Every structure is written in C-alpha cells, then in structure tokens.
C-alpha cells in the first residue's frame, strides 16, 4: 500500500521525507517532485531497486536511468573526471534544469541500464528533492510515468500511472508545465546537445564558449 505525504505542511513533509529515505534504503521506490516533472527514484547503487524502477515504468535497460545528486561535490566521486566545460555548466545551471552525460568512475558498482560506461547527472532545483538526496545520496531517477504516457506534473498523476509499485509519494504541488531538462553529452570529442529542454541551446553554447551550431 502506497503512502502519500503533503510536503506543503511542515509536519507532513518531515514525516514524508523520513518515510521516503527509509524506503530508498530498503530497496523500494519513491516519487518525488523536481523542478521539471515528478520523478520516480531508487538508490542508484541498488541494482534490484533500479530494475524495479524500470519495471514500474514498463521500460527496458536500453534506456538507462539518470542520476540526481544533492550537491556539486557529490559529482567528483561519480565520474572519471570533471572537464572544464562540465564544471562551467555545473556552475552556471546547477541546481537546475540541465543534465550532463559524462564517463562514470569505473570503480562504481551500479547498473543503470545499458549506459556504456556513462552516467547522466543532474542537481534539481527543488527543496524537497534536495533534502532527500542530501539524506540518502545519489538516486537513480526517471520521469514518474509509464513509458509512452505523458510525464506527471503532480503526485496524483504519478500515482494514477504507477500505483502501488511506488511505496512513498512526496506531494510537492504542481510542477507546472511539463518541460524536461536539457541534456548535454560530454563523453565525445565535441559536446552535443542530446535534448533541448528548459535550458536553451544558445545559453549552453554561451557558457561553454562554443558556436551554437557546433552543439548539433
């Protein structure tokens, strides 16, 4: 049976965050608000929980799950190295609506899907998400919807799709218009914008000091 917590109220928010942290540490799934759309999340280092996340979404490992972090400093332990361009993007847009793809540290024992040695990282600009992430550490998070259906902009929409596959729903109110994060791939010789979302291609090019047409 799922539990829903209204995070607009102090007492319910504290109770919900504690329940969500307990769920994550117990290999269960949670739904949390972010600054883009609602996300379904699990412990990034718990392969069984990540598999449960993919099953809840009816999604295969061919679409690997991204990782949300609660601080800039967390990234250094997750990636092979943070190149100057990545650091510039982090300083300009985190916490916020930009995801960055980098080679992950080879020592990490995780299974996020067929990621081919890379990881997509983001630090969300949402107080509930950040508080949970700073408590439990990096989480594998995907949009809180069944594959092929619209992403959820409310906890209720997420619950309608995911039901009891999720243990805890943290209701942070409506996320507004469902705009996905932008994604920049920094694993190759040249940076590539894989998805233009909330952060424009022009803004990304300006921060990186490269021509906008080079990011195609």
């Amino acid at each position: 049976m799922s539990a829903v917590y209204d995070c607009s109220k102090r007492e319910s928010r504290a109770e919900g965050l504690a329940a969500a942290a307990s769920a994550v540490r117990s290999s269960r799934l949670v739904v949390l608000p972010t600054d883009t759309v609602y996300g379904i999340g699990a412990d990034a280092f718990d392969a069984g929980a990540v598999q449960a996340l993919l099953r809840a979404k009816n999604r295969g490992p061919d679409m690997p799950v991204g990782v949300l972090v609660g601080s800039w400093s967390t990234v250094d332990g997750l990636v092979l190295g943070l190149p100057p361009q990545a650091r510039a993007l982090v300083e300009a847009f985190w916490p916020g609506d930009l995801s960055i793809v980098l080679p992950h540290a080879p020592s990490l024992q995780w299974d996020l899907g067929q990621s081919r040695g890379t990881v997509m990282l983001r630090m969300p600009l949402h107080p509930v998400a950040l508080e949970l992430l700073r408590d439990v550490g990096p989480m594998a998070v995907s949009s809180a919807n069944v594959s092929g259906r619209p992403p959820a902009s409310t906890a209720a929409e997420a619950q309608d799709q995911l039901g009891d596959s999720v243990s805890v729903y943290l209701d942070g109110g409506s996320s507004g218009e469902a705009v996905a994060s932008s994604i920049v791939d920094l694993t190759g010789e040249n940076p590539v914008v894989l998805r233009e979302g909330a952060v424009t291609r022009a803004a990304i090019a300006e921060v990186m000091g490269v021509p906008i047409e080079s990011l195609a």
Side-chain angles (χ1 to χ4, degrees), residues 21-30 41-43 46-50 52-53 167:
S22 176
V24 172
R25 294 187 178 107
S26 301
S27 303
R28 292 176 286 140
L29 305 179
V30 303
D43 182 348
D46 187 328
V50 175
L53 186 158
S167 294

Side-chain angles (χ1 to χ4, degrees), residues 146-170:
V146 174
S147 282
R149 295 181 61 184
S153 59
T154 67
E157 289 177 4
Q159 190 173 21
D160 284 344
Q161 296 193 48
L162 300 169
D164 287 340
S165 63
V166 172
S167 294
V168 174
Y169 289 84
L170 297 177

Side-chain angles (χ1 to χ4, degrees), residues 18-201:
S22 176
V24 172
R25 294 187 178 107
S26 301
S27 303
R28 292 176 286 140
L29 305 179
V30 303
V31 158
L32 64 155
T34 78
D35 48 345
T36 53
V37 295
Y38 272 73
I40 176 175
D43 182 348
F45 299 101
D46 187 328
V50 175
Q51 288 299 313
L53 186 158
L54 291 172
R55 286 195 301 272
K57 285 180 61 73
N58 193 26
R59 181 166 128 180
D62 56 309
M63 296 178 66
V65 184
V67 172
L68 295 188
V69 297
S71 68
W72 292 5
S73 59
T74 304
V75 174
D76 290 324
L78 302 178
V79 299
L80 195 55
L82 196 63
Q85 288 183 323
R87 194 169 296 279
L89 291 173
V90 165
E91 292 176 354
F93 299 114
W94 283 15
D97 304 341
L98 183 75
S99 298
I100 301 173
V101 182
L102 291 165
H104 72 68
S107 60
L108 293 181
Q109 299 298 312
W110 58 12
D111 182 3
L112 302 170
Q114 297 171 8
S115 60
R116 296 177 176 84
T118 69
V119 62
M120 183 173 70
L121 298 167
R122 188 167 84 87
M123 181 180 174
L125 182 58
H126 195 289
V128 173
L130 287 174
E131 191 167 345
L132 179 60
L133 290 163
R134 287 167 181 165
D135 186 2
V136 303
M139 290 180 63
V141 178
S142 182
S143 56
N145 61 287
V146 174
S147 282
R149 295 181 61 184
S153 59
T154 67
E157 289 177 4
Q159 190 173 21
D160 284 344
Q161 296 193 48
L162 300 169
D164 287 340
S165 63
V166 172
S167 294
V168 174
Y169 289 84
L170 297 177
D171 187 348
S174 174
S175 63
E177 185 180 356
V179 180
S181 67
S182 298
I183 303 174
V184 181
D185 186 344
L186 296 176
T187 61
E189 185 175 340
N190 298 305
V192 176
V193 174
L194 300 180
R195 181 174 73 197
E196 185 174 12
V199 179
T200 66
R201 193 182 300 265

